[in-house]
C-alpha cells in the first residue's frame, strides 16, 4: 500500500492592522459592546429592592460590584482564561476540545454534556441580550418625558427588527463604525461618572473591600440574593474568550485595562455618587447623571451602543452554530459568507429568523429591562460556571506536583464564586430564569440527540461492511462494465465499502474508469494550517483511491477546491469537473424491531436529518454533477 500526503493550508484569512492601536480599537468595538452597556441597568437592578435607600446600602453594594468585576472579569477572564487557547481560538466548544483531549470514560462524557449545556445557554444569552440592551437604552426617553413611556416597547421592536433584517448584508460596513461608537460611548461613561464623583468624592470609599465584607457580614442573606443582580455587571465576559481569535489576547487585555475597566468603574461610582445625594434617582440613575440638555443625545448614543452590543452577540450565535455543525453537534445548516475577504463574517438565515422571533416574544412578554434581568443572569452564570469547570479539568490534565496544587487553589477559589453566582440566579428561576433554562434544555436535547443519532448510524454503517481495499482489488480482477469519467463517493467511514457504491453496482452494473472515495473529517482545532494535515491520498487499486480531507471547526468544507488541489498534486487522477460525478447516500431513518433510541428521540433525529442542509450545498458540490442513492436505515 502506498500513501502520500499533500495540501494547501487553509488557515484564517488575516489582515494585519497597521498598529497595535488598531487591534485594540477593533477589540473595543466588537468584544466589549455587551459588558459596556451593563451600566444602563445594573446598579438600578441591585438597589431597587431597598425601600429606604441608605448610604451604607450604596457603598456596600457598589463595593461588592466593583470587586466582583475585578475578580471575575479582570482576574479570571482577562488574566487566566485567555491563556487557554485552542490555536489562538477561544469559546466553550474550543475549550471543550482541549479539556477532553486524551480523556476517556465517564469524565469525558460529563465534560461533553456540561459543555453542550453551556453552549446551549449561550443561545438563551443571544436572545436576551438584544432585548434587554435595547429596552434599557430606550427606557431613557421616560426621563425626557414620562408621557413617552408607552413608546418604549414599540420603538424597541422597530429597532430590533431593523437590526436583524440588515444581518444578511454582513457586519463589514457596520464594523467600521463599531470602534468609534464604542470609544465615544466609553468616553461618555467616564465623563458622566467622573463629573458626579467630583461632586461627591465620598463615594470612593467603596473602593475599600471592607465595605463589601461589612455588608456581607451584616446581611448575609441579602448579599447572596444581591449576587443575582451584581452578575449583570459581568455580562459579556464570555465574549472576551470567544472573540480571542479575532484580535488576540494582547489587544483584548489592553483594551480592558486601558479603557473599558476604568470607564465602567467611573460610571458605576458616578451613579453611586448621585444616589448618595439623591436616593430618588434610583428610578434611572444612569440617565439622571446627565444634565437635562444631554439626556436626549445620551438616549440616542445608548441606543446605538446597544445595537452594537446586540450585533456582537448575534454574530457570536452564528459562530457557535458553525462550530457545533463542524464538530458534529448540530445538523448541517446554510452558511452564507457576507464578505469576499473576511472568512469570519458569516450569516445563517435560519438562526437569524429564530433569534428574531424569540427576541420579539421576549420584548412583548417582559416589556422592561428590569423584568428581563433575572432571566439574563441565569444564562450568563451558567455559561461562566461551564467555562470554570472545563478550565479546571484542563489545568489538572496539563499540570502536576506543586503547579497542580497552585492551580487547584486558584481555580477552586474562582469556582466557588461562580457557584455562588449561579446559585443566586437559580433562586430567580420563577422570575424569568426559567426562560434560558428552558432554551438550554431544548437546545442541549437537540444537540445530544443529533450526536447520539450520528454515532448510532455510524456504527450501523460499519457493521457487516467489507474492507474497501480488498473489495476494489476484486473488482479490478473481475471488472463490471466500465464507463468514462471519475466517480467520487462521499463516505463517512474510510476503509469500508460505502452503500452508494454497492447500490450503483447492483442497479446500474457499471464502474467508472477512475473511482475516488472522499471522506471529510473535522479536527478539534479551529484551523488546519500545516500541509501534512489538510489531506491524504491512498491508492487502493489500479483505478481507485481513498482521500481523507480535514478541516478545522471554524472552516467550511469546499470539495471542488480541495479536489483541484488533489488534481494538482496527482495529475494521474482525472478530476476534470465535467468528467466527474458525485455519488451520495441519502438515508431515511425508520423504526427497527429493537430500536436503539426511544421513539420520541428517533422521531426528533429524523426530523433534524430531514431539515438539515443538503450535502451538495454544505460541501459546495455542483448539484448537476450529483447522483443520490436513497436508502432506509433502521434505528
Amino acid at each position: 500500500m502506498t500513501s502520500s500526503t499533500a495540501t494547501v493550508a487553509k488557515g484564517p484569512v488575516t489582515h494585519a492592522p497597521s498598529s497595535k492601536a488598531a487591534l485594540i480599537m477593533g477589540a473595543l468595538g466588537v468584544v466589549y459592546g455587551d459588558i459596556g452597556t451593563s451600566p444602563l441597568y445594573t446598579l438600578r437592578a441591585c438597589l431597587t429592592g431597598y425601600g429606604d435607600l441608605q448610604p451604607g446600602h450604596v457603598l456596600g453594594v457598589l463595593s461588592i460590584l466593583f470587586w466582583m468585576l475585578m475578580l471575575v472579569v479582570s482576574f479570571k477572564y482577562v488574566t487566566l482564561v485567555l491563556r487557554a487557547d485552542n490555536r489562538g481560538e477561544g469559546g466553550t466548544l474550543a475549550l471543550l476540545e482541549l479539556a477532553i483531549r486524551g480523556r476517556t470514560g465517564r469524565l469525558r462524557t460529563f465534560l461533553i454534556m456540561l459543555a453542550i449545556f453551556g453552549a446551549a445557554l449561550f443561545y438563551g444569552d443571544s436572545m436576551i441580550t438584544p432585548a434587554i440592551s435595547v429596552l434599557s437604552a430606550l427606557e431613557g426617553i421616560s426621563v425626557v418625558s414620562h408621557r413617552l413611556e408607552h413608546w418604549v416597547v414599540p420603538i424597541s421592536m422597530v429597532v430590533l427588527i431593523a437590526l436583524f433584517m440588515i444581518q444578511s448584508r454582513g457586519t463589514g460596513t457596520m464594523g467600521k463604525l463599531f470602534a468609534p461608537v464604542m470609544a465615544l460611548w466609553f468616553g461618555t461613561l467616564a465623563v458622566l461618572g467622573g463629573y458626579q464623583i467630583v461632586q461627591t468624592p465620598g463615594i470612593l470609599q467603596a473602593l475599600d473591600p471592607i465595605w463589601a465584607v461589612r455588608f456581607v457580614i451584616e446581611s448575609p442573606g441579602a448579599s447572596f440574593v444581591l449576587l443575582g443582580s451584581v452578575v449583570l455587571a459581568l455580562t459579556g465576559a464570555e465574549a472576551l474568550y470567544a472573540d480571542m481569535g479575532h484580535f488576540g489576547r494582547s489587544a483584548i487585555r489592553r483594551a480592558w485595562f486601558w479603557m473599558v475597566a476604568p470607564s465602567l468603574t467611573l460610571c458605576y461610582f458616578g451613579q453611586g455618587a448621585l444616589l448618595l445625594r439623591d436616593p430618588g434617582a434610583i428610578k434611572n440613575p444612569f440617565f439622571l447623571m446627565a444634565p437635562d440638555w444631554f439626556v436626549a443625545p445620551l438616549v440616542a448614543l445608548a441606543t446605538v451602543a446597544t445595537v452594537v452590543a446586540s450585533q456582537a452577540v448575534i454574530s457570536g450565535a452564528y459562530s457557535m452554530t458553525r462550530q457545533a455543525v463542524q464538530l458534529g453537534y448540530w445538523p448541517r445548516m446554510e452558511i452564507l459568507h457576507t464578505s469576499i475577504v473576511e472568512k469570519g463574517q458569516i450569516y445563517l438565515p435560519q438562526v437569524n429568523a429564530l433569534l428574531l422571533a424569540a427576541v420579539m416574544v421576549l420584548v412583548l412578554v417582559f416589556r422592561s429591562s428590569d423584568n428581563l434581568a433575572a432571566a439574563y443572569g441565569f444564562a450568563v452564570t451558567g455559561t461562566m460556571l461551564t467555562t470554570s469547570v472545563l478550565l479546571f479539568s484542563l489545568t489538572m490534565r496539563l499540570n502536576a506536583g506543586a503547579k497542580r496544587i497552585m492551580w487547584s487553589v486558584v481555580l477552586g477559589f474562582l469556582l466557588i464564586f461562580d457557584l455562588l453566582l449561579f446559585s443566586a440566579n437559580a433562586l430567580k428561576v420563577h422570575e424569568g430564569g426559567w426562560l434560558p433554562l428552558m432554551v438550554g434544555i431544548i437546545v442541549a436535547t437537540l444537540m445530544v440527540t443529533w450526536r447520539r443519532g450520528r454515532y448510532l448510524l455510524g456504527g450501523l454503517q460499519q457493521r457487516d461492511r467489507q474492507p474497501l481495499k480488498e473489495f476494489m482489488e476484486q473488482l479490478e480482477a473481475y471488472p463490471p462494465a466500465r464507463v468514462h469519467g471519475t466517480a467520487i463517493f462521499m463516505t463517512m467511514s474510510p476503509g469500508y465499502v460505502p452503500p452508494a457504491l454497492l447500490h450503483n453496482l447492483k442497479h446500474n452494473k457499471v464502474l467508472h474508469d477512475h473511482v475516488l472515495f472522499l471522506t471529510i473529517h473535522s479536527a478539534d482545532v479551529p484551523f488546519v494550517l500545516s500541509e501534512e494535515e489538510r489531506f491524504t491520498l491512498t491508492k487502493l487499486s489500479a483505478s481507485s483511491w481513498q482521500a481523507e480531507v480535514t478541516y478545522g471547526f471554524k472552516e467550511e468544507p469546499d470539495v471542488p477546491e480541495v479536489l483541484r488541489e488533489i488534481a494538482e498534486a496527482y495529475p494521474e487522477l482525472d478530476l476534470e469537473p465535467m468528467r466527474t460525478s458525485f455519488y451520495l447516500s441519502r438515508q431515511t431513518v425508520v423504526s427497527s424491531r429493537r430500536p436503539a433510541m426511544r421513539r420520541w428521540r428517533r422521531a426528533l433525529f429524523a426530523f433534524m436529518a430531514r431539515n438539515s442542509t443538503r450535502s451538495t450545498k454544505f460541501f459546495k458540490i455542483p448539484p448537476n454533477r450529483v447522483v443520490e442513492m436513497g436508502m432506509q436505515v433502521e434505528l
Side-chain angles (χ1 to χ4, degrees):
M1 178 187 298
T2 60
S3 177
S4 52
T5 306
T7 184
V8 174
K10 291 289 180 181
V13 177
T14 57
H15 302 275
S18 58
S19 65
K20 292 180 180 179
L23 271 178
I24 294 171
M25 287 295 289
L28 191 69
V30 175
V31 176
Y32 291 107
D34 193 359
I35 199 169
T37 53
S38 297
L40 285 166
Y41 44 79
T42 298
L43 200 60
R44 182 179 60 187
C46 290
L47 292 170
T48 298
Y50 299 94
D52 184 17
L53 194 60
Q54 300 296 322
H57 295 149
V58 177
L59 292 170
V61 169
L62 195 57
S63 184
I64 292 175
L65 188 152
F66 171 75
W67 286 105
M68 289 299 292
L69 200 64
M70 294 300 102
L71 181 68
V72 175
V73 182
S74 296
F75 182 61
K76 175 188 169 183
Y77 278 94
V78 178
T79 304
L80 297 182
V81 175
L82 289 183
R83 293 163 57 95
D85 67 291
N86 191 336
R87 293 197 182 183
E89 294 293 329
T92 301
L93 295 179
L95 182 57
L96 169 64
E97 294 302 317
L98 288 175
I100 65 175
R101 194 172 293 170
R103 294 191 183 276
T104 58
R106 293 183 179 179
L107 179 58
R108 178 186 174 91
T109 302
F110 168 75
L111 292 176
I112 290 175
M113 296 301 295
L114 180 68
I116 286 176
F117 187 67
L121 282 177
F122 182 81
Y123 288 99
D125 189 4
S126 301
M127 293 162 43
I128 299 170
T129 294
I132 191 173
S133 298
V134 174
L135 276 172
S136 62
L138 288 169
E139 283 167 356
I141 65 176
S142 63
V143 177
V144 178
S145 173
H146 67 86
R147 290 178 294 181
L148 298 175
E149 287 183 4
H150 65 281
W151 285 101
V152 171
V153 171
I155 296 176
S156 296
M157 295 182 68
V158 171
V159 171
L160 289 166
I161 290 173
L163 171 65
F164 280 93
M165 288 185 66
I166 63 175
Q167 292 299 310
S168 60
R169 299 180 179 272
T171 59
T173 302
M174 294 179 62
K176 296 177 182 178
L177 301 175
F178 283 3
V181 167
M182 294 311 296
L184 177 61
W185 172 252
F186 285 117
T188 302
L189 296 185
V191 171
L192 290 176
Y195 176 72
Q196 296 294 330
I197 293 171
V198 168
Q199 296 182 67
T200 312
I203 193 64
L204 295 177
Q205 297 176 73
L207 290 172
D208 188 347
I210 197 66
W211 282 98
V213 174
R214 184 184 302 168
F215 189 90
V216 171
I217 293 174
E218 293 177 354
S219 308
S223 301
F224 179 70
V225 174
L226 175 66
L227 292 178
S229 299
V230 169
V231 75
L232 297 176
L234 314 177
T235 59
E238 280 290 326
L240 308 180
Y241 186 39
D243 289 324
M244 180 168 56
H246 296 290
F247 304 100
R249 67 168 64 94
S250 177
I252 292 175
R253 283 174 175 166
R254 289 176 179 177
W256 171 257
F257 287 116
W258 290 1
M259 188 167 191
V260 180
S263 298
L264 292 178
T265 301
L266 286 170
C267 184
Y268 283 124
F269 276 72
Q271 292 181 52
L274 174 65
L275 292 172
L276 286 182
R277 297 196 311 273
D278 179 15
I282 190 61
K283 61 183 179 181
N284 205 320
F286 177 82
F287 286 104
L288 289 174
M289 283 196 302
D292 294 341
W293 62 268
F294 190 60
V295 172
L298 184 59
V299 171
L301 177 60
T303 302
V304 176
T306 55
V307 167
V308 173
S310 303
Q311 175 65 50
V313 78
I314 292 169
S315 300
Y318 296 158
S319 298
M320 177 75 76
T321 304
R322 180 171 67 175
Q323 290 186 26
V325 170
Q326 294 294 83
L327 292 172
Y329 295 107
W330 199 256
R332 293 186 297 266
M333 301 187 76
E334 183 179 8
I335 301 175
L336 304 177
H337 284 271
T338 57
S339 171
I340 61 174
V341 177
E342 300 289 348
K343 292 185 70 173
Q345 293 184 18
I346 57 175
Y347 169 65
L348 281 72
Q350 294 165 297
V351 174
N352 192 69
L354 291 172
L355 282 179
L356 173 60
V359 170
M360 291 295 101
V361 171
L362 289 182
V363 171
L364 289 172
V365 172
F366 288 88
R367 305 189 71 81
S368 76
S369 59
D370 287 340
N371 294 336
L372 271 170
Y376 202 20
F378 188 88
V380 171
T381 54
T383 308
M384 286 181 173
L385 182 59
T386 299
T387 298
S388 293
V389 174
L390 292 174
L391 185 63
F392 189 92
S393 176
L394 174 62
T395 54
M396 292 304 99
R397 181 175 68 84
L398 296 179
N399 297 287
K403 218 171 184 180
R404 174 181 284 192
I405 295 174
M406 181 194 70
W407 277 109
S408 298
V409 172
V410 172
L411 294 178
F413 177 72
L414 293 174
L415 193 57
I416 290 173
F417 276 92
D418 284 328
L419 285 170
L420 286 172
L421 290 170
F422 182 74
S423 301
N425 280 274
L427 294 177
K428 300 192 293 183
V429 167
H430 65 286
E431 299 178 16
W434 57 268
L435 175 68
L437 177 61
M438 180 183 68
V439 172
I441 291 174
I442 292 174
V443 175
T445 300
L446 292 171
M447 294 174 76
V448 172
T449 298
W450 181 254
R451 184 175 176 86
R452 176 64 175 168
R454 279 174 51 89
Y455 173 79
L456 292 173
L457 279 182
L460 289 173
Q461 290 176 2
Q462 291 191 22
R463 191 174 62 190
D464 301 327
R465 278 205 181 173
Q466 303 177 55
L468 183 58
K469 180 174 175 58
E470 287 77 358
F471 185 82
M472 295 309 297
E473 288 175 344
Q474 290 177 8
L475 285 182
E476 296 288 350
Y478 305 98
R482 307 298 289 248
V483 295
H484 295 301
T486 300
I488 299 177
F489 290 89
M490 303 288 292
T491 173
M492 294 173 55
S493 306
Y496 294 93
V497 179
L501 174 61
L502 296 176
H503 278 63
N504 182 54
L505 291 172
K506 178 180 179 181
H507 297 291
N508 298 327
K509 299 179 175 58
V510 296
L511 191 67
H512 286 69
D513 287 336
H514 298 90
V515 181
L516 176 66
F517 300 94
L518 183 61
T519 301
I520 306 294
H521 296 293
S522 181
D524 61 356
V525 294
F527 298 98
V528 172
L529 301 177
S530 70
E531 296 185 355
E532 292 75 18
E533 291 177 313
R534 176 60 72 192
F535 70 78
T536 62
L537 186 69
T538 304
K539 192 163 188 176
L540 302 173
S541 67
S543 61
S544 62
W545 292 262
Q546 168 78 64
E548 296 185 55
V549 183
T550 303
Y551 289 93
F553 60 75
K554 293 199 74 173
E555 297 179 285
E556 287 187 50
D558 189 335
V559 168
E561 174 65 17
V562 80
L563 290 179
R564 183 187 63 77
E565 296 167 10
I566 294 175
E568 291 179 357
Y570 301 92
E572 68 272 18
L573 182 56
D574 182 12
L575 293 176
E576 202 283 322
M578 296 309 296
R579 293 196 296 271
T580 301
S581 300
F582 294 85
Y583 286 80
L584 283 72
S585 299
R586 188 146 184 100
Q587 300 160 335
T588 302
V589 178
V590 297
S591 178
S592 65
R593 293 183 180 180
R594 301 178 63 181
M597 300 176 72
R598 293 184 179 181
R599 179 180 299 178
W600 69 269
R601 291 191 71 186
R602 186 174 62 248
L604 183 60
F605 177 76
F607 173 80
M608 295 174 74
R610 286 196 303 271
N611 288 276
S612 65
T613 300
R614 298 179 71 88
S615 302
T616 51
K617 181 177 291 187
F618 185 78
F619 293 116
K620 298 180 174 60
I621 301 173
N624 60 343
R625 308 302 302 172
V626 173
V627 178
E628 285 194 343
M629 313 296 288
M631 59 195 70
Q632 292 186 338
V633 180
E634 293 185 344
L635 192 61

